[in-house]
Amino acid sequence: MKKIEAIIKPFKLDEVKEALHEIGLQGITVMEAKGFGRQKGHTELYRGAEYVVDFLPKVKVEIVLEDDLVDRAIEAIMEAARTGRIGDGKIFVSTVDEAIRIRTGEKGASAI
């Protein structure tokens, strides 16, 4: 099993969710996040005062899935989240040793 963590722009969440649903993934976890990469934030003007916004709003999507779906899921996320501009995000893939469904005690792939 693998865990995919994707940091994306918030307005792309619905498109990513739909793309993942189309390839057969049902469960995702979504968290609001803030951060910056090469963008280094930006300055804004509010009531005549200029201030620096260091951390930009992002969304973190987490999915645990079987190994054979990983490439399709990554491609779906990339297609749906890409705008072509800086700050589109990142995708991280890691190995999951075990998954357990709390309600039933199922383990492994049947738990996801």
Side-chain angles (χ1 to χ4, degrees):
M1 291 179 294
K2 300 285 188 204
K3 178 180 182 181
I4 296 176
E5 297 175 78
I7 312 296
I8 62 172
K9 291 182 175 185
F11 67 89
K12 286 294 195 172
L13 178 59
D14 286 336
E15 292 176 47
V16 169
K17 183 182 84 167
E18 285 298 318
L20 291 171
H21 183 69
E22 285 177 16
I23 64 165
L25 291 174
Q26 297 173 3
I28 66 172
T29 301
V30 177
M31 292 168 267
E32 290 183 18
K34 292 184 182 226
F36 66 90
R38 281 191 254 163
Q39 295 167 282
K40 305 274 193 289
H42 62 277
T43 58
E44 288 188 5
L45 196 61
Y46 180 72
R47 294 191 176 182
E50 189 175 282
Y51 65 98
V52 177
V53 178
D54 290 331
F55 294 101
L56 302 171
K58 301 289 181 180
V59 172
K60 181 178 182 182
V61 177
E62 292 186 354
I63 314 150
V64 176
L65 63 166
E66 295 182 56
D67 292 344
D68 59 334
L69 290 173
V70 171
D71 291 335
R72 289 174 54 205
I74 291 170
E75 188 63 33
I77 294 168
M78 287 177 58
E79 293 278 326
R82 181 180 292 132
T83 66
R85 296 190 310 252
I86 192 165
D88 275 351
K90 298 265 191 307
I91 299 174
F92 305 99
V93 181
S94 55
T95 301
V96 174
D97 295 327
E98 186 66 271
I100 303 164
R101 185 184 311 265
I102 294 173
R103 180 177 54 86
T104 62
E106 291 171 283
K107 293 185 176 186
S110 61
I112 57 172

